[in-house]
Amino acid sequence: MVQLTTEAVKSSAKTLEPVLAKEYPDVNQRIRSLFSWFGSGAGQWSGFYASEEVPSTMLLEYSGAQLVNALQGEPLTDAEAEGAYDSS
């Protein structure tokens, strides 16, 4: 089992944020991509994947209003919906 330290997670999030912003200039698309990443784990929900810590940390940088706004409009993909549900 891989465990990420808090500093490693923060460092990864800080490194990935500008890359994600370049790929998804629209904040709603960026948030939805994070929800998709967060919701793309496989298997049962009884475990916790270390790879979920980075998008989870990145999602916490947005306000609740921004998160809700990103979920409105286009229908959610299965991964986006699962990520939004898991992060609540």
Side-chain angles (χ1 to χ4, degrees):
M1 177 199 233
V2 175
Q3 291 185 333
L4 297 176
T5 65
T6 301
E7 278 306 310
V9 171
K10 287 180 181 179
S11 177
S12 295
K14 186 176 180 179
T15 299
L16 291 172
E17 181 57 37
V19 175
L20 194 64
K22 183 176 179 180
E23 182 69 23
Y24 300 101
D26 178 77
V27 70
N28 290 338
Q29 289 178 322
R30 196 172 322 136
I31 290 169
R32 287 174 72 118
S33 73
L34 288 169
F35 278 134
S36 182
W37 179 10
F38 188 70
S40 63
Q44 298 188 11
W45 290 4
S46 60
F48 180 81
Y49 295 98
S51 62
E52 294 176 347
E53 290 186 53
V54 174
S56 175
T57 297
M58 294 174 80
L59 284 165
L60 290 173
E61 295 299 315
Y62 297 96
S63 71
Q66 287 176 301
L67 297 174
V68 170
N69 190 49
L71 297 173
Q72 298 173 344
E74 295 180 38
L76 300 175
T77 65
D78 289 344
E80 289 169 345
E82 190 164 330
Y85 176 78
D86 285 350
S87 64
S88 60

